[in-house]
C-alpha cells in the first residue's frame, strides 16, 4: 500500500520531465544523430521519399511522445516495417512508385485508425499473445529481406530481381558488376559499424559515440572526394563506371513541399486490405514488444501502460500517414541507445524529434551529401542483427521445438509474406502442442481451480498452459492484485510451453518489484524439452492418474 506522500508511478514522470531536462536534452541529441541516417535509409528502402522517414520521427517525437506512457521509448520508422511498406508501394502502384506511395499512405491511415481502436479496446495485452519463436522468426526473415535488397544498393548496382530469395541469388552478379567508388563507401561504412560494435565492448567511451555518426563522418567526405554531386564517368581496371547525384540522398527544397496526401481511391481493394492488416497487426506487435523490452532496460524499473502507448502509436501513425510519413513504432534500437545515453523521461524522445525538425528545416543540403551506400550499410547492419546466427543458437538452446518453429516461420515468410509466415508459425506451434499432449479443448481456455488461503491464493492449472490461453491465465492472476502470495500449481498440466515459462518469469520480476511473491510449483514431474530454464515442460507419462486430467 502506498503512503499518501509517495508519488504514484503516473505522477513521477511529470516531475521527472521538468527536473531531468538536461540529461534528456543530451540523450535526445545523441539519438537524433543515430535517427537521422536511419530514418532516411528506412524511407528509401521502403519506396518512400527520404524525407518521409524524418516526418514520421518528428511526429513521433514532438507530438506522440506526450500521448503514451512509455517514458524512454523513441518513436519513429522501423526497419521491421520496410518489407510491408515496399510491398504496398509496388503492388498498389502497379509500376508507378509515386502513385503506390500515395496509396500506401492511405493504408497507413486506415491501419492507424485500427490501432487506435485496438488501444481503446485495451488490446495492449496482444504483446503477450504471440509466441516468442514466431515473432523472432518473423524478425529474422525481415533481417534477411533487408540484407537481400540493400546489398545491391551498397555495391552501387540496380538488381533485376524483386523477391528476397532471388535477390540473394543475384548478389554474386552484383559483386561482379559493382561500382568501385560506391562499393568502397559502402564497405568502409560496414566495417565501421561492425568494428564499432566489437570495440565498444572493450573501450568504454566508444559506447557514447553513435556508430552512424562515425559512418557519416567518413562517408560524406568520401562522397565529396568522388564528386558524387555531379554526373560523370571514371575508368577503373579498364572498365567505365558512372556516378552522380542519384547515389546521394535527394530532399525537397523545404519541409512543407514534402507533405504528401494519401490517395484513398483503392483503399477497399483486396490488396489494400492485406497491407492495412499487416501494418496494423505487425506494427502493433513490434511496438508493444519493443515497449516491454525497453521497460526491462529502464534503470528505474517503471512499467508502461501498453494500451496508452498503442494509442500514442496509432495517433502518431494517423498524423504521419496523412502528411506523407512512414508508419511508426516504439523502436527498440534507438530506445536502448536512448537509455544508454542517460535519458530519464519522455523529454528525450521530444528533443530527438525537435532536433530532426530543426535540422531538416535549416540544413537540408547537408542531408543531400549523404551517400546512399552508407545508408544501405546501416540497414544491412540492422538486418544482420535481426537475422544473426546467434539468434539461431539462442533459440536452439531453448529447445529443438523452438528452433523448428523459428526456422519454419522464417522460411515461410521469405517464400510468401509476413502475415502468412506468422500464421504458419502459430499453426505449427499449435500442432506441436497437440503432439506433446495438450488436449485440443485446453489450447484456448485454461482450466484453472482457485484455492484461496489466509496469505493469498493457489491457482491450480489443469490440461495445458500455452501461448494461446496465456491471456486468460494472466487475467485470472490479475484478479488477485491484492494478494501478497500467488502460487501457480502445474502438477496436473500436461504441457507448459516456452512462451508461458518466459511470460511467468517476467511476471515473477514484476511481483518482486511490487513487494509481492509469485511462486511456480508442480513442475517436478515434467520433463524439459531442453536444459534451458525457460524451455517448455511436458508431463512425464504415467505420473498422474487419468481421472485427474
Amino acid at each position: 500500500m502506498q503512503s499518501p506522500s509517495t508519488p504514484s508511478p503516473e505522477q513521477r514522470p511529470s516531475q521527472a520531465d521538468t527536473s531531468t531536462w538536461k540529461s534528456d536534452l543530451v540523450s535526445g541529441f545523441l539519438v537524433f544523430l543515430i535517427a537521422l541516417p536511419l530514418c532516411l535509409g528506412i524511407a528509401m528502402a521502403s519506396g518512400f521519399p527520404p524525407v518521409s522517414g524524418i516526418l514520421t520521427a518528428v511526429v513521433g517525437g514532438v507530438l506522440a511522445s506526450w500521448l503514451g506512457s512509455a517514458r524512454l521509448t523513441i518513436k519513429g520508422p522501423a526497419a521491421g516495417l520496410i518489407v510491408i511498406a515496399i510491398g504496398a508501394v509496388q503492388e498498389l502502384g502497379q509500376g508507378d512508385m509515386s502513385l503506390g506511395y500515395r496509396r500506401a499512405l492511405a493504408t497507413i491511415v486506415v491501419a492507424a485508425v485500427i490501432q487506435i481502436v485496438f488501444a481503446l479496446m485495451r488490446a495492449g495485452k496482444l504483446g503477450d499473445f504471440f509466441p516468442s519463436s514466431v515473432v523472432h522468426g518473423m524478425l529474422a526473415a525481415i533481417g534477411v529481406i533487408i540484407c537481400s535488397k540493400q546489398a545491391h544498393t551498397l555495391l552501387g548496382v540496380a538488381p533485376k530481381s524483386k523477391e528476397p530469395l532471388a535477390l540473394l541469388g543475384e548478389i554474386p552478379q552484383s559483386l561482379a558488376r559493382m561500382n568501385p567508388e560506391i562499393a568502397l563507401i559502402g564497405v568502409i561504412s560496414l566495417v565501421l559499424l561492425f568494428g564499432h560494435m566489437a570495440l565498444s565492448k572493450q573501450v568504454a567511451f566508444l559506447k557514447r559515440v553513435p556508430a552512424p555518426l562515425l559512418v557519416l563522418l567518413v562517408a560524406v567526405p568520401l562522397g565529396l572526394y568522388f564528386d558524387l554531386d555531379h554526373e560523370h564517368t571514371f575508368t577503373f581496371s579498364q572498365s567505365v563506371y558512372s556516378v552522380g547525384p542519384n547515389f546521394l540522398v535527394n530532399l525537397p527544397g523545404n519541409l512543407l513541399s514534402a507533405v504528401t496526401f494519401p490517395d484513398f481511391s483503392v483503399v477497399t481493394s483486396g490488396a489494400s486490405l492485406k497491407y492495412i492488416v499487416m501494418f496494423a497487426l505487425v506494427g502493433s506487435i513490434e511496438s508493444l514488444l519493443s515497449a516491454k523490452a525497453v521497460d526491462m532496460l529502464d534503470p528505474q524499473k517503471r512499467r508502461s501502460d501498453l494500451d496508452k502507448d498503442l494509442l500514442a502509436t496509432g495517433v502518431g501513425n494517423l498524423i504521419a500517414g496523412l502528411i506523407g510519413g512512414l508508419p511508426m513504432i516504439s523502436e527498440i534500437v534507438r530506445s536502448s541507445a536512448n537509455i544508454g545515453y542517460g535519458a530519464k523521461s519522455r523529454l528525450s524522445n521530444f528533443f530527438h524529434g525537435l532536433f530532426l525538425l530543426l535540422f531538416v528545416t535549416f540544413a537540408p543540403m547537408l542531408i543531400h551529401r549523404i551517400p546512399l551506400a552508407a545508408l544501405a550499410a546501416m540497414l544491412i547492419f540492422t538486418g544482420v542483427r535481426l537475422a544473426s546466427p546467434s539468434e539461431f543458437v539462442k533459440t536452439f538452446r531453448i529447445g529443438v521445438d523452438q528452433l523448428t518453429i523459428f526456422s519454419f516461420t522464417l522460411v515461410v515468410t521469405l517464400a510468401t509474406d509476413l502475415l502468412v509466415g506468422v500464421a504458419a508459425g502459430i499453426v505449427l506451434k499449435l500442432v506441436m502442442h497437440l503432439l506433446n499432449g495438450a488436449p485440443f479443448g485446453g489450447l484456448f481456455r485454461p482450466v484453472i481451480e482457485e484455492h484461496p488461503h489466509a496469505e493469498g491464493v493457489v491457482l491450480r492449472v489443469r490440461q495445458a498452459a500455452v501461448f494461446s490461453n496465456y491471456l486468460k491465465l494472466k487475467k485470472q492472476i490479475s484478479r488477485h492484485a491484492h494478494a501478497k502470495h500467488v502460487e501457480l500449481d502445474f502438477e496436473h498440466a500436461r504441457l507448459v510451453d516456452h512462451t508461458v515459462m518466459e511470460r511467468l518469469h517476467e511476471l515473477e520480476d514484476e511481483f518482486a518489484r511490487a513487494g509481492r511473491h509469485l511462486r511456480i510449483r508442480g513442475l517436478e514431474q515434467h520433463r524439459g524439452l531442453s536444459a534451458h530454464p525457460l524451455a517448455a515442460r511436458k508431463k512425464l507419462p504415467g505420473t498422474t492418474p487419468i481421472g485427474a486430467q
Side-chain angles (χ1 to χ4, degrees):
M1 192 80 178
Q2 275 184 332
S3 66
S5 60
T6 304
S8 69
E10 288 301 321
Q11 291 172 324
R12 281 193 285 267
S14 60
Q15 294 170 0
D17 286 350
T18 57
S19 63
T20 64
W21 68 268
K22 290 182 180 178
S23 58
D24 289 324
L25 181 68
V26 173
S27 60
F29 177 74
L30 292 172
V31 172
F32 146 73
L33 295 175
I34 296 175
L36 175 64
L38 284 178
C39 289
L40 296 169
I42 290 169
M44 298 195 69
S46 301
F48 281 47
V51 74
S52 63
I54 304 289
L55 288 174
T56 299
V58 169
V59 172
V62 176
L63 299 178
S65 59
W66 305 109
L67 299 175
S69 77
R71 301 163 186 85
L72 300 181
T73 59
I74 298 296
K75 291 193 179 295
L81 297 180
I82 288 175
V83 179
I84 306 174
I86 187 64
V89 171
Q90 291 174 341
E91 187 171 347
L92 299 178
Q94 298 179 335
D96 185 337
M97 296 295 280
S98 176
L99 178 62
Y101 162 50
R102 287 182 281 112
R103 287 177 172 174
L105 291 176
T107 65
I108 292 170
V109 170
V110 178
V113 173
I114 294 174
Q115 287 182 318
I116 293 171
V117 173
F118 280 167
L120 296 177
M121 293 174 63
R122 303 191 65 79
K125 54 183 176 286
L126 274 174
D128 283 327
F129 171 77
F130 289 89
S132 305
S133 50
V134 172
V135 173
H136 291 152
M138 176 193 75
L139 293 175
I142 290 170
V144 173
I145 294 170
I146 290 171
C147 291
S148 72
K149 293 176 180 292
Q150 295 304 311
H152 306 280
T153 302
L154 182 141
L155 297 171
V157 176
K160 298 175 184 176
S161 306
K162 299 294 182 185
E163 299 304 317
L165 296 177
L167 284 166
L168 285 172
E170 199 178 325
I171 290 177
Q173 298 176 38
S174 292
L175 281 168
R177 299 187 295 119
M178 67 179 177
N179 186 309
E181 291 184 352
I182 303 302
L184 180 64
I185 295 173
V187 170
I188 290 176
S189 299
L190 266 184
V191 170
L192 286 171
L193 290 165
F194 283 101
H196 178 274
M197 182 176 68
L199 289 175
S200 61
K201 297 175 183 177
Q202 302 173 11
V203 184
F205 84 90
L206 277 178
K207 293 180 181 178
R208 310 252 336 152
V209 180
L213 177 62
L214 294 177
V215 171
L216 294 184
L217 289 176
V218 173
V220 171
L222 276 175
L224 292 171
Y225 177 75
F226 292 139
D227 195 22
L228 298 187
D229 204 22
H230 299 94
E231 193 79 39
H232 66 279
T233 60
F234 68 95
T235 302
F236 180 81
S237 189
Q238 299 182 338
S239 296
V240 178
Y241 299 91
S242 297
V243 291
N246 57 313
F247 289 102
L248 296 172
V249 174
N250 287 301
L251 290 180
N254 61 75
L255 199 57
L256 286 179
S257 64
V259 173
T260 304
F261 300 110
D263 179 346
F264 291 93
S265 61
V266 296
V267 77
T268 57
S269 67
S272 291
L273 292 175
K274 177 179 73 172
Y275 288 107
I276 288 169
V277 171
M278 284 200 282
F279 276 129
L281 191 60
V282 177
S284 297
I285 295 168
E286 274 206 68
S287 196
L288 290 170
L289 292 177
S290 296
K292 286 181 63 176
V294 173
D295 280 351
M296 300 295 287
L297 297 173
D298 183 357
Q300 298 183 44
K301 303 301 180 186
R302 295 166 291 187
R303 285 295 169 263
S304 301
D305 182 331
L306 295 180
D307 294 312
K308 282 182 66 177
D309 197 62
L310 186 56
L311 177 64
T313 302
V315 172
N317 280 329
L318 180 63
I319 298 170
L322 287 171
I323 64 175
L326 283 163
M328 74 176 65
I329 68 168
S330 295
E331 208 280 328
I332 183 63
V333 175
R334 274 157 271 166
S335 298
S336 56
N338 186 42
I339 293 171
Y341 293 143
K344 297 293 187 294
S345 76
R346 70 188 75 239
L347 272 177
S348 56
N349 187 31
F350 169 77
F351 284 131
H352 126 271
L354 183 62
F355 281 124
L356 283 169
L357 176 61
L358 294 173
F359 193 84
V360 79
T361 301
F362 298 109
M365 286 310 296
L366 291 178
I367 295 177
H368 173 63
R369 302 294 181 187
I370 300 174
L372 298 183
L375 300 182
M378 294 180 202
L379 292 176
I380 291 172
F381 179 71
T382 301
V384 168
R385 294 179 70 181
L386 287 174
S388 169
S390 64
E391 288 295 320
F392 289 80
V393 173
K394 187 164 59 176
T395 306
F396 173 72
R397 286 175 178 163
I398 298 171
V400 175
D401 59 322
Q402 300 305 309
L403 180 62
T404 302
I405 297 164
F406 174 96
S407 303
F408 184 71
T409 304
L410 187 157
V411 172
V412 175
T413 301
L414 290 177
T416 55
D417 60 43
L418 287 176
L419 274 186
V420 175
V422 170
I426 290 174
V427 169
L428 176 62
K429 191 167 178 72
L430 290 172
V431 170
M432 292 178 72
H433 285 342
L434 292 173
L435 294 175
N436 279 317
F440 184 81
L443 287 179
F444 302 99
R445 184 176 293 278
V447 179
I448 305 172
E449 298 174 357
E450 292 194 7
H451 300 276
H453 56 82
E455 295 184 348
V457 65
V458 175
L459 301 177
R460 183 166 293 140
V461 183
R462 295 181 176 271
Q463 295 190 349
V466 294
F467 80 95
S468 49
N469 65 28
Y470 173 71
L471 292 179
K472 288 185 171 61
L473 173 59
K474 187 177 180 181
K475 184 177 180 181
Q476 195 87 354
I477 296 171
S478 66
R479 287 176 181 169
H480 303 279
H482 299 294
K484 292 287 290 183
H485 298 276
V486 176
E487 293 187 17
L488 291 176
D489 185 353
F490 292 110
E491 182 181 354
H492 298 284
R494 300 182 194 177
L495 180 70
V496 183
D497 78 357
H498 161 64
T499 300
V500 171
M501 293 295 295
E502 189 176 55
R503 300 288 186 265
L504 292 179
H505 178 69
E506 295 171 1
L507 208 55
E508 280 181 311
D509 290 340
E510 289 185 26
F511 267 63
R513 282 191 294 272
R516 302 170 66 205
H517 181 233
L518 176 67
R519 182 189 173 200
I520 298 170
R521 72 182 194 192
L523 293 175
E524 297 81 8
Q525 296 177 334
H526 291 68
R527 175 177 62 87
L529 298 188
S530 79
H532 195 280
L534 299 181
R537 300 289 198 275
K538 181 180 178 181
K539 184 77 171 181
L540 292 171
T543 54
T544 302
I546 295 175
Q549 294 289 336

